Amino acid sequence: MEGHVNLQLSSKTVGIFEAFYQSIKPIQLLCYQIELLKPGKISAGKTECNFEFPLRARNTKTLYETYHGVFINIQYSMKCEIKRSFLIGTTLSKGTEFIVEYGNSTALTSSASSVSPSAAFIANDLLKPAEMKRVDFDMVSESGNKFGLFKAHGHIDSATCPITKPFTGEIIIDRAEFPIKSVEVQLVRVETTGCSEGYAKDASEIQTIQIGEGNIIKGLPIPIFMIFPRLFSCPTLLTTNFKIEFEVNIVVIFTSDFYKSENLPIRITRF
């Protein structure tokens, strides 16, 4: 059973950070190996081998939640091998990935505290209960530019978002000189990787949800509702070697294909 954090740089940054490109190696979080059966012959029919692994990090490492990104991947997997002596060099093997999520905050905090003070800090930061604080925003454009006279306002219910609950809010189009084609909500990951020689920061789209189509009625409240995708999002993570952060873009697209957007950084938590 193994757990790794795999880091890589985007192609546009390899030239800039070529000096330390080779130094970004996978971070091993856990590694366990046990023998299920002693050498011998397996009888015909179905044979079951029960097993159990402790889900504990190695040394001073901390276990993070499973996450599949573009430049950062946190994955846990297990592999079973059957070594056959009568056919030299042939080994039967089967591997599978399993998902790791934080349990209750008390258990994780106490576990992290027994590992290292820095790990406890990360755990406390990730698992602090979300403070539901409304965040207002305005989207304004004056007449005479590519957007024309445009005004909209709205809010998100909280910039600190539990991953198990929907991201919610509201937007109202007050005025629009040019006709609107679509209103969308975009979830963006911001991944930072690197080491002491330098860091590379890249933003990429996770998902886009359309919440309004056509020339929206002015003054009509449009609800914002988005579910966080499980494998492609995780609690916001800030470590020495990498960072995983998230943002939300509220995008208004005009029929001319020009668009006006509002960027809202958010913090995702487990609880």
Side-chain angles (χ1 to χ4, degrees), residues 129-140:
E131 297 177 0
M132 302 302 290
K133 185 177 180 181
R134 169 172 162 161
V135 178
D136 297 312
F137 63 87
D138 292 289
M139 304 171 67
V140 179

Side-chain angles (χ1 to χ4, degrees), residues 33-265:
Q33 183 175 340
I34 59 174
E35 186 180 70
L36 298 181
L37 291 176
K38 298 293 183 181
K41 185 177 180 180
I42 299 177
S43 58
K46 184 178 180 180
T47 301
E48 293 186 357
C49 301
N50 297 321
F51 65 91
E52 182 178 286
F53 282 105
L55 198 61
R56 292 194 297 265
R58 296 189 58 187
N59 302 325
T60 58
K61 303 296 183 183
T62 303
L63 294 184
Y64 309 117
E65 291 205 13
T66 298
Y67 168 75
H68 292 184
V70 177
F71 305 107
I72 301 173
N73 282 279
I74 304 173
Q75 292 179 280
Y76 301 87
S77 62
M78 61 175 62
K79 183 172 67 171
C80 179
E81 291 185 346
I82 302 177
K83 297 182 180 180
R84 299 182 290 183
S85 58
F86 65 94
L87 294 174
I88 299 176
T90 60
T91 300
L92 292 176
S93 65
K94 176 68 174 180
T96 185
E97 180 183 2
F98 61 93
I99 308 301
V100 171
E101 292 183 357
Y102 293 143
N104 64 74
S105 57
T106 304
L108 181 65
T109 303
S110 60
S111 173
S113 299
S114 64
V115 176
S116 69
S118 59
F121 173 79
I122 294 172
N124 289 330
D125 180 62
L126 289 174
L127 299 174
K128 184 178 180 181
E131 297 177 0
M132 302 302 290
K133 185 177 180 181
R134 169 172 162 161
V135 178
D136 297 312
F137 63 87
D138 292 289
M139 304 171 67
V140 179
S141 173
E142 301 296 334
S143 181
N145 58 36
K146 59 184 179 182
F147 305 116
L149 181 61
F150 176 78
K151 183 179 180 182
H153 73 279
H155 70 270
I156 58 175
D157 292 326
S158 176
T160 303
C161 312
I163 197 171
T164 56
K165 297 182 180 180
F167 176 83
T168 58
E170 182 181 273
I171 181 174
I172 299 174
I173 308 296
D174 299 307
R175 298 188 64 181
E177 181 178 345
F178 300 141
I180 296 171
K181 181 168 73 174
S182 179
V183 180
E184 300 175 350
V185 178
Q186 184 182 73
L187 179 63
V188 176
R189 62 171 78 86
V190 181
E191 299 171 317
T192 304
T193 58
C195 59
S196 58
E197 287 83 357
Y199 289 87
K201 187 174 183 178
D202 296 275
S204 55
E205 176 188 339
I206 298 177
Q207 67 179 12
T208 298
I209 297 175
Q210 186 183 56
I211 59 173
E213 182 179 13
N215 200 16
I216 308 298
I217 298 174
K218 310 306 178 287
L220 177 69
I222 303 172
I224 297 171
F225 189 94
M226 178 177 64
I227 301 295
F228 293 108
R230 173 58 198 96
L231 292 179
F232 305 109
S233 61
C234 68
T236 299
L237 192 54
L238 307 176
T239 73
T240 304
N241 297 316
F242 65 94
K243 300 177 184 179
I244 304 174
E245 300 169 285
F246 298 92
E247 299 175 349
V248 169
N249 292 327
I250 309 298
V251 185
V252 178
I253 305 174
F254 300 94
T255 53
S256 60
D257 285 335
F258 289 118
Y259 64 88
K260 181 95 174 153
S261 66
E262 181 72 17
N263 179 264
L264 302 167

